[in-house]
Structures are given as C-alpha cells and as structure tokens.
Amino acid sequence: MTVKQISVFLENKPGRLAEFTDVLSENNINMRAMSLAEASDFGIARVIVDDVYNAVTVLKDNDYIVSITKVLAVEMPDEPGALSRVIKVLGDSDVNVEYMYAFTARKKDCAYMIIRVADNKKAIEVLQQNGIRPVCQDELVEL
Amino acid sequence: MERYYQPEIECASREQIREWQSERLVKQVQNVWDNVPFYKKKMQEQGLEPGDIKSVDDLHKLPFVTKDDLRDCYPYGLLARPLSECVRIQSTSGTTGRRVVAFYTQHDIDLWEDCCARAIVAAGGTNEDVCHVSYGYGLFTGGPGLNGGSHKVGCLTLPMSSGNTERQIQFMTDLGSTILCCTPSYAAYLAESIHEKGVRDQIKLKAGIFGAEAWTEEMRHDIEEKLGIKAYDIYGLTEISGPGVSFECSAQSGMHVNEDHFIAEVINPKTGEVLPDGEKGELVFTSITKEAFPLIRYRTRDICILSREKCACGRTHVKMTKPLGRSDDMLIVKGVNVFPSQIETVLMNKGYPANYQIIVDRVNNSDTIEVQVEMTSEMFSDSLSAVSAKEKELVDALKAMLGIYAKVKLVNPKAITRSEGKAVRVIDKRNLYQQ
C-alpha cells in the first residue's frame, strides 16, 4: 500500500537541476510527481516515477546518489477540505507527517498527495479505517 | 635614533655572538645528553658524544629533531628539568594528534619575554606607550609572550586577548593604545572596523607588531595606511619559545633572529645539508639557553633565507626573510596550524570517502576554510534534516579536531577532480607566499 519515492542528492549549483532532469528526459522517464527540498549548500529532489528500477539504474549510471523510500500516495476527491480530512485522520492518531507534496493524475475528479510518515504501517491502518485509500505502486501506472 | 632593549647583546660583534653561541651550545649538548634520554640515544646512533661538539662549527654533526619526534615524546619525553622546576606550559594551536606542549622554567619565561621586549623596543616602544595585546591568551603563546615583553619594556599593558572588536576599539580610543600586537589578519579587520565606525581620528596607534601567520607586503601597506602606523613582523614558534624568536627592526627588511638564544640554520629539506646564507631552504633552530625544553636542530618546516649583511638599524644578529613557504603540507588558517591529514582522519572516521578537497581563502582579510566532500549513498537519505544533521556532525568533528570552524560542502560524487598523480588536496587561494 505504498509507493517508492526516489530521492536524489543535488549540489546547490546553477545547472545541477537541469542536468538531472535532462538525464531523465534523455532516457524517456516521465515524472509523476516531484518536489525539491533545499538546504544552504545542497538540495534533495524527490520524484515519483512509474518504473522505479529503470529510473534508479539510469541515475546511478550517471553518478547520482540515490535513495529509495516507501511513501504513501493517497487518493482523495478533488474538492475543498479533502486534504484536511486526511491530515486530521493522521494527526488524531499521532502519525507525524515529515513532508508531503501533491501530484495529479489522469483520473478525473481525483487528487493525489505523496505523504512521508515515519510509520507507514500505522498510517495505512488509520487511513483505511477512515475510508481513505493509499495507492500501491502497481496502480500508479494506471492513474 | 634607533633604540634597543639590550644594546650590548643586540649590537654585539659577530665574533662575540659566535663565542656566546659556541659556549652555550657546548653546554646545552652536555645538558641534553645528561638529562634527556631521547637526545642521548639519537646522538649515540650517530656515534656522537658531547665532546665531539666543540663549537658552532660542529652543530651540523648533530641529528635533527622533527615535529614527529615531539609528538612521539609527548608529553614529558623531551623535558630536561624536573617538573618541580617548571613554571609554565604552553601548547601549539589545539590540534589533536599533533599537539606539542612546551615547558618553561622561570629562566625560560624571562628569556622569552626579553626577546618580545626587544621586538617591542625595535617597533619604537617605551615606558610611555600603551601596548594593546590582542593576541589570544591561554595555551597559545601570542598573548602571554607579548604581554610579558610589554611588561619588561614598562609599557602600560592592555591584555585584551582576541575577539570582541567593539570592546577592542572602545579601549583603544578611551585608553589611547599606541602599540597594537595581534595577527595581521586581525589588524586588517580592526583597521576596517575603525574606518567603518569613523573613529580613525580618535586612534593614537603608532606601531603594530603582527605575527603568527603569513602576510604579504600589500597587506602591510594596507594596514599601515589605514591605521597610520608602522607595521612590524614578528616570528616564533611554541616549540622554540613563542613569538620573538625573530623580529623586525626599523629597516622592515627581514627579521633579526635572537642569536644569543637561538641558533638559526637553513638546510636543504631533502638532503639535510646546511646551506650558505642567501640560499633558500628549511629553517632549523637550536635553543641554546632554554632549560626545560631545549631543542637541538629543530626542523621548523618553514622555508626562508638568512642574511648576515649589515643592517641599517645597527643590530648585528642574522636576519631571516618572512617564511616563503612550507616544506610540508601544513596550512596556517586564522593562526592555527592545520594539516590535511587531520581533515582526512575526521572524514575517514565519519565514513566519508578519502576523496576531498580543502579550499582556503581570505575573505575581508579573514581566513576561511572549506572542506568539499563527496556525498555517498550511506550518508544520503530522503530527509533533509537527516542529511543536514550528518553535515553538522562533520562540521563539529572538524571543529573538535582543528580548533577552528571549517565549512563543509557536500558535493556530487566525482565532482572533485581525480588527478593522475598526486592528488590536489589543498587549494590555497590566499597567495600568501609571494616574492
């Protein structure tokens, strides 16, 4: 009930991000979601792709430092208040959100959120109890 | 009129200096043979006995002492007097693994302070002066040395120590400091701050005695102009005593070595052969009057040139140039000795690859040091705070090892150029050793 997120180390230097996205595009890798986090001297690009294995291989071949993390991809109705409900469910159960970012899919009337929590198992449990559905890796392709 | 602290010594004839040196060297060699097993063993390995050293002409026969020897003998291995006769310990810039502790008897403190007093008088100091000492006090020899010298001259001494620039300038203006003693980079920083505050006309400084790090002629002119003073260089090292091993006179063209206490030689760093005056080589010192911690032929690793040409100031003691470089890879950053190997040790301990680069620069007259390290999979994760924490951990470990802050920059793998032969570990952009 999780998806694999690829995190990539990027030096904070002009052109580094462009180099990174070039590597993906040259290898025909489509990003489904992406977020950037930055410290003073470096950044971390976090991406969701359909074919994780292929993307990681390509990145490693190009000397990128890569880390794979299991994160939650939560589907919710594309309407006001939907995200609040999800966050409230997690908060009420003491599940701490480390970071999150949105992504869109082709599926109509649905919005998606990538959520990174420390305890995936517990998060999935409370979400499901509240009728909220985390998506699994295989489903990503169809979204 | 040139003034001297001890004219009969500072202007003694060359013959007289030689005589002092020979007599004191013979005594010192006997002393270390009798009291320091390390020296006895070293001499025996060369088939030498104290009787073989009859004058300075025989000095070259004696084996060298290196910084590694000092480390191996840490802490008491080179003591020539019982601890009960020692009154002071000073230490080189707190660098783990390379720390050197030097011991002093009261006699040793006196002679060291005499040397500093000579430097202060050479810079025009008298008992009418207010001597503002902004070298660090503590284990570092800068503060204590100049402080003692200033007392001997009879200056009103301000033991400011380093840092707190606001307060430094306040005291300078309120109490009318006339002589400033600090590192040249701090002098430049003070000069800048004084200008920014617009209090230049309230400053009564006339001279500065600046040492403990390399500086250029351009920097000297800059400081002299900004503060309206004469800026004098001073040289020394904890192993030999501290600042004042040599100092500049009014001629400002090299530093007179206090030859009645320290014999200077210049050698070929590869062969160990003694070089004639005028040739560039590694500076070697023998402390012939020190009681507690005498060093025989100590290799400083500083590259310089000696000159016995007559000096306009009237002093007869040999002059050395500013250090023109190092014969090892030691860097002096903010007055602190830094070896690339220390940085490497920290990186290895923390699990970073041995591929790194050290960038040293001088920004606004203050040294900066940056360590570039390649990121590894083991260090990396999706969490910014986790990676930042790792980075911080490395910064702290470097600070603990070096005693100064070094910026850490994590870079992409293979971002640091691999060289074919010897790796270029250090890029020093300061360009300090001109000439």
Side-chain angles (χ1 to χ4, degrees):
Chain A
M1 281 302 193
T2 56
V3 298
K4 285 176 176 162
Q5 165 191 268
I6 303 172
S7 304
V8 181
F9 174 80
L10 291 176
E11 244 178 274
N12 193 357
K13 217 173 176 181
R16 282 283 188 260
L17 185 59
E19 279 170 27
F20 165 68
T21 52
D22 280 351
V23 167
L24 294 181
S25 74
E26 277 161 19
N27 290 277
N28 215 15
I29 295 165
N30 187 30
M31 285 186 279
R32 303 302 302 273
M34 178 177 180
S35 101
L36 267 179
E38 93 281 355
S40 59
D41 283 327
F42 66 92
I44 299 176
R46 301 167 182 138
V47 294
I48 302 290
V49 297
D50 288 344
D51 188 344
V52 176
Y53 180 79
N54 181 36
V56 168
T57 308
V58 162
L59 288 169
K60 284 193 170 170
D61 283 349
N62 282 278
D63 295 323
Y64 281 97
I65 296 281
V66 175
S67 150
I68 296 173
T69 321
K70 286 181 177 169
V71 294
L72 301 172
V74 179
E75 186 184 83
M76 60 195 83
D78 189 6
E79 63 185 30
L83 177 61
S84 294
R85 277 198 294 279
V86 174
I87 303 297
K88 190 168 184 322
V89 164
L90 293 174
D92 287 348
S93 308
D94 250 354
V95 176
N96 191 35
V97 175
E98 293 183 16
Y99 57 82
M100 56 188 223
Y101 50 101
F103 80 103
T104 55
R106 296 168 203 105
K107 205 162 145 185
K108 227 176 160 244
D109 300 330
C110 276
Y112 296 85
M113 206 72 189
I114 297 292
I115 305 178
R116 164 74 152 109
V117 296
D119 189 346
N120 276 333
K121 202 168 151 238
K122 189 175 174 193
I124 292 168
E125 212 177 281
V126 298
L127 287 172
Q128 282 179 331
Q129 278 165 10
N130 287 275
I132 300 164
R133 201 173 74 88
V135 176
C136 65
Q137 185 75 35
D138 295 339
E139 284 176 84
L140 263 186
V141 193
E142 291 142 35
L143 294 177
Chain B
M1 248 299 271
E2 188 78 25
R3 293 180 57 262
Y4 315 95
Y5 178 65
Q6 291 165 311
E8 71 291 351
I9 297 171
E10 294 175 66
C11 303
S13 69
R14 288 301 316 167
E15 295 70 39
Q16 177 65 70
I17 294 171
R18 253 187 94 76
E19 208 172 294
W20 282 330
Q21 289 189 332
S22 290
E23 181 194 317
R24 290 168 188 181
L25 175 67
V26 168
K27 260 173 76 180
Q28 188 69 289
V29 169
Q30 185 66 53
N31 175 36
V32 296
W33 172 276
D34 291 340
N35 295 306
V36 188
F38 165 86
Y39 282 114
K40 187 170 183 176
K41 186 164 167 274
K42 264 205 152 183
M43 284 174 65
Q44 281 171 333
E45 280 166 7
Q46 306 274 321
L48 286 171
E49 284 187 5
D52 295 324
I53 310 302
K54 297 186 180 70
S55 75
V56 270
D57 292 333
D58 299 319
L59 180 60
H60 70 274
K61 296 177 183 166
L62 290 162
F64 293 114
V65 174
T66 64
K67 193 148 193 158
D68 283 338
D69 289 328
L70 301 197
R71 199 178 45 183
D72 294 344
C73 293
Y74 176 89
Y76 302 123
L78 289 169
L79 255 188
R81 286 295 166 98
L83 283 173
S84 58
E85 286 181 36
C86 299
V87 298
R88 178 90 67 82
I89 288 172
Q90 303 280 169
S91 178
T92 56
S93 33
T95 51
T96 318
R98 299 267 185 170
R99 178 174 291 127
V100 170
V101 289
F103 299 83
Y104 302 72
T105 63
Q106 187 54 51
H107 161 91
D108 295 337
I109 296 282
D110 277 337
L111 77 86
W112 172 28
E113 291 178 352
D114 280 344
C115 291
C116 289
R118 291 179 196 173
I120 293 170
V121 174
T126 70
N127 59 3
E128 304 288 327
D129 279 299
V130 179
C131 186
H132 187 112
V133 183
S134 305
Y135 282 114
Y137 280 65
L139 285 171
F140 178 54
T141 51
L146 270 306
N147 190 89
S150 172
H151 277 225
K152 290 222 167 191
V153 176
C155 303
L156 178 56
T157 310
L158 274 173
M160 297 301 300
S161 198
S162 49
N164 200 341
T165 305
E166 287 282 317
R167 192 178 61 188
Q168 301 269 1
I169 297 173
Q170 178 93 54
F171 270 76
M172 227 175 246
T173 52
D174 291 357
L175 297 164
S177 309
T178 53
I179 297 177
L180 172 64
C181 307
C182 62
T183 59
S185 53
Y186 193 57
Y189 180 74
L190 274 172
E192 209 119 289
S193 307
I194 286 166
H195 271 259
E196 274 167 23
K197 285 179 155 315
V199 294
R200 167 72 178 79
D201 55 345
Q202 296 168 46
I203 299 290
K204 296 195 178 66
L205 288 177
K206 63 175 193 188
I209 300 172
F210 307 132
E213 64 188 16
W215 51 314
T216 58
E217 279 305 311
E218 286 73 25
M219 205 164 158
R220 186 207 300 262
H221 292 142
D222 188 48
I223 297 170
E224 288 191 331
E225 198 188 346
K226 279 216 175 89
L227 290 176
I229 62 171
K230 283 264 260 175
Y232 299 92
D233 204 353
I234 186 167
Y235 173 91
L237 54 174
T238 310
E239 295 90 318
I240 298 302
S241 67
V245 170
S246 66
F247 61 93
E248 246 178 10
C249 60
S250 56
Q252 289 182 310
S253 63
M255 296 174 276
H256 289 284
V257 176
N258 285 306
E259 282 191 282
D260 50 324
H261 296 302
F262 317 111
I263 302 178
E265 298 170 278
V266 159
I267 61 160
N268 176 328
K270 292 204 177 72
T271 63
E273 168 207 5
V274 179
L275 300 174
D277 288 353
E279 278 192 36
K280 193 155 99 176
E282 183 180 333
L283 188 59
V284 172
F285 280 114
T286 299
S287 44
I288 44 178
T289 49
K290 289 267 300 267
E291 292 181 340
F293 196 72
L295 291 184
I296 308 288
R297 302 198 86 200
Y298 179 66
R299 293 184 62 160
T300 63
R301 298 288 174 191
D302 282 326
I303 301 290
C304 79
I305 301 168
L306 293 179
S307 159
R308 285 186 174 78
E309 271 170 39
K310 207 168 180 312
C311 184
C313 77
R315 288 177 185 80
T316 47
H317 293 223
V318 68
K319 282 206 286 194
M320 59 176 269
T321 58
K322 268 177 194 302
L324 307 169
R326 295 276 306 171
S327 68
D328 62 7
D329 56 0
M330 190 179 87
L331 295 159
I332 302 180
V333 182
K334 295 178 183 166
V336 171
N337 300 348
V338 172
F339 288 92
S341 59
Q342 295 176 299
I343 290 171
E344 190 165 324
T345 305
V346 172
L347 294 177
M348 302 295 238
N349 288 344
K350 292 281 168 197
Y352 289 89
N355 207 41
Y356 62 93
Q357 207 154 46
I358 301 163
I359 318 270
V360 185
D361 205 348
R362 191 162 274 179
V363 180
N364 296 328
N365 285 313
S366 180
D367 291 338
T368 61
I369 179 163
E370 175 178 293
V371 181
Q372 296 193 346
V373 197
E374 288 181 358
M375 194 63 190
T376 66
S377 300
E378 292 72 41
M379 295 299 148
F380 187 58
S381 77
D382 67 313
S383 159
L384 196 62
S385 54
V387 179
S388 294
K390 285 248 163 68
E391 191 184 23
K392 168 92 175 27
E393 204 181 288
L394 183 55
V395 168
D396 291 344
L398 285 169
K399 172 110 203 244
M401 173 67 98
L402 306 176
I404 51 167
Y405 166 76
K407 180 179 156 67
V408 166
K409 184 163 168 41
L410 298 170
V411 298
N412 277 347
K414 299 196 181 166
I416 294 166
T417 334
R418 265 69 172 166
S419 59
E420 300 288 314
K422 201 167 174 276
V424 181
R425 291 281 176 238
V426 179
I427 298 176
D428 195 335
K429 297 180 172 170
R430 296 175 297 180
N431 197 21
L432 293 173
Y433 298 123
Q434 302 155 334
Q435 284 183 38

